[in-house]
Amino acid sequence: ERKKFHTAPVGQVFRLRPFHVLVATGGGYAGYRKYEDYKLEQLEKSGIEVPVKLASEWEVALYKSVPTRLLSRAWGRLNQVELPTWLRKPVYSLYIWTFGVNMKEAAVEDLHHYRNLSEFFRRKLKPQARPVCGVHSVISPSDGKILNFGQVKNCEVEQVKGVTYSLESFLGPRVPTEELRFSQAPPGNSFQQQLVTKEGNELYHCVIYLAPGDYHCFHSPTDWTVSHRRHFPGSLMSVNPGVARWIKELFCHNERVVLTGDWKHGFFSLTAVGATNVGSIRIYFDQDLHTNSPSYSKGSYNDFSFISNNNKEGIPMRKGEHLGEFNLGSTIVLIFEAPKDFKFNLKAGQKIRFGEALGSL
């Protein structure tokens, strides 16, 4: 009456596929990096200056092996699942406690009102919660932390202090609509010089990091006209300050949506950078935009012009007007042209809220 057991060959039982090895190794390394980021944050809080240590090519490749796009799509679907009424308050309360969310600013404070996590992430604020500064010409488009700001120099932009990325790689090559509107610079000049349309102006930048607990909508930082959108599919690596300090050209690796146009002083651009669990970037006036699609070609991008036969100017945006939203938290990068006497009213590392002044003439 002995029972027969059928066993697979030892080699078949322990066979590991390359994909599983990459996911396990990459996931473990990503966890290790998170721990390193935590230690760096603690050192910074203690006032100790942390030297810059950039990731090597193999470390970046290993991090990219983690299927962050797939995980982000799964996270997005999970966020859409309607929670039972009795479960909403405990789940949202845990999130509020973890990330320090101020629900007194929310237009609807009752947690039972939000049917799923996605609605809670994209909660609206009370009208008086974020007064828009009327004195300064450029305001913060979102809540967040100032990672870096200043003049663009030598076609390089700082994502954090001491770590840069290429201006042209980030924005991509000029497009015909831009060349028509901003063609005053000689073609032999650098990419940076070609963006500056008026003599005596300089190119400036500002990087704002949105943490998971921040208000996730973003708004127009000034009065300007959006003429073009460029969408770069890409990786969805974390963009928290620790990773931004570690990976050079992180913002050029990640998926992003670049809006370009002009304001009263010349060229103006706002870029929404995607991140892990933030595959969804929405621009309210752009219904054709679809981010975090299952497949894409490395280094590819797609363009869309808002200038047409029926619309010769583009999309006019007023300072403080709703512009778009993230599904969790990420990064906004402003790159714009302004006179040499433009001054930022900021400090690196400071917290800022939507509507507060970034700078002025």
Side-chain angles (χ1 to χ4, degrees):
E1 297 180 1
R2 291 180 180 178
K3 295 181 180 179
K4 294 182 179 179
F5 292 92
H6 298 275
T7 59
V10 175
Q12 184 176 337
V13 173
F14 294 101
R15 185 183 301 163
L16 293 175
R17 297 180 181 178
F19 174 75
H20 297 156
V21 174
L22 286 173
V23 171
T25 308
Y29 194 75
Y32 166 75
R33 287 306 315 173
K34 286 286 187 182
Y35 174 67
E36 289 293 306
D37 295 340
Y38 172 77
K39 290 199 299 183
L40 288 175
E41 287 180 5
Q42 296 307 307
L43 290 173
E44 285 183 342
K45 288 180 180 178
S46 303
I48 301 173
E49 187 172 348
V50 181
V52 174
K53 183 181 179 182
L54 295 177
S56 62
E57 290 185 10
W58 73 265
E59 287 178 307
V60 175
L62 189 58
Y63 192 176
K64 282 187 172 183
S65 70
V66 181
T68 51
R69 294 179 65 84
L70 177 62
L71 293 172
S72 296
R73 285 195 298 275
W75 177 252
R77 287 173 184 159
L78 179 63
N79 288 349
Q80 298 293 334
V81 175
E82 185 169 342
L83 296 176
T85 305
W86 62 269
L87 189 58
R88 294 174 188 176
K89 188 171 183 178
V91 170
Y92 301 147
S93 296
L94 178 61
Y95 188 92
I96 290 168
W97 177 79
T98 303
F99 297 108
V101 178
N102 183 3
M103 283 303 293
K104 292 183 179 180
E105 297 177 331
V108 180
E109 295 184 41
D110 182 11
L111 298 181
H112 296 101
H113 169 79
Y114 303 100
R115 294 173 297 175
N116 52 49
L117 283 166
S118 182
E119 286 189 1
F120 179 72
F121 293 148
R122 296 180 287 105
R123 64 193 176 277
K124 305 300 181 184
L125 299 180
K126 294 173 182 175
Q128 67 274 19
R130 296 288 187 276
V132 175
C133 176
V135 178
H136 293 78
S137 54
V138 184
I139 62 167
S140 176
S142 66
D143 288 7
K145 178 181 180 180
I146 301 296
L147 293 190
N148 215 305
F149 63 92
Q151 283 191 17
V152 177
K153 298 179 180 179
N154 302 319
C155 295
E156 292 282 322
V157 187
E158 282 194 320
Q159 57 192 30
V160 293
K161 185 178 180 180
V163 182
T164 63
Y165 56 94
S166 163
L167 178 65
E168 186 168 5
S169 296
F170 182 70
L171 296 178
R174 300 283 293 280
V175 293
T177 54
E178 287 179 330
E179 289 169 2
L180 289 173
R181 297 169 73 87
F182 311 119
S183 59
Q184 299 177 22
N189 286 7
S190 68
F191 184 81
Q192 176 179 338
Q193 291 171 325
Q194 290 178 35
L195 294 179
V196 178
T197 66
K198 299 179 180 179
E199 187 176 352
N201 280 3
E202 297 287 348
L203 207 61
Y204 298 86
H205 74 98
C206 183
V207 183
I208 305 169
Y209 167 69
L210 289 74
D214 287 329
Y215 168 56
H216 297 142
C217 296
F218 51 93
H219 301 246
S220 177
T222 192
D223 295 335
W224 64 308
T225 302
V226 184
S227 58
H228 182 265
R229 179 259 291 162
R230 173 168 284 158
H231 172 216
F232 290 86
S235 301
L236 287 174
M237 294 184 283
S238 171
V239 293
N240 73 50
V243 177
R245 187 185 295 108
W246 179 56
I247 298 180
K248 183 178 174 64
E249 299 206 331
L250 171 65
F251 299 155
C252 297
H253 289 293
N254 272 17
E255 181 162 18
R256 59 198 182 279
V257 177
V258 182
L259 300 178
T260 55
D262 62 299
W263 70 319
K264 60 183 178 181
H265 299 297
F267 175 81
F268 199 97
S269 73
L270 180 148
T271 301
V273 183
T276 308
N277 295 336
V278 197
S280 175
I281 302 172
R282 182 183 174 195
I283 304 298
Y284 294 137
F285 57 75
D286 189 355
Q287 301 303 315
D288 295 322
L289 175 66
H290 300 285
T291 58
N292 196 13
S293 52
S295 61
Y296 70 98
S297 299
K298 184 178 180 181
S300 65
Y301 59 84
N302 58 77
D303 291 325
F304 184 85
S305 176
F306 298 110
I307 296 177
S308 62
N309 292 331
N310 298 326
N311 183 1
K312 302 292 185 181
E313 293 298 321
I315 308 294
M317 296 297 300
R318 303 294 296 175
K319 184 170 66 173
E321 185 177 352
H322 276 84
L323 181 54
E325 62 188 36
F326 291 112
N327 203 35
L328 191 57
S330 193
T331 298
I332 295 286
V333 179
L334 302 179
I335 298 175
F336 57 93
E337 172 185 2
K340 290 182 178 180
D341 56 351
F342 181 87
K343 300 293 182 184
F344 284 102
N345 302 315
L346 303 171
K347 292 181 180 179
Q350 79 171 70
K351 291 287 291 182
I352 197 165
R353 305 203 303 176
F354 155 62
E356 293 179 345
L358 286 184
S360 190
L361 299 170

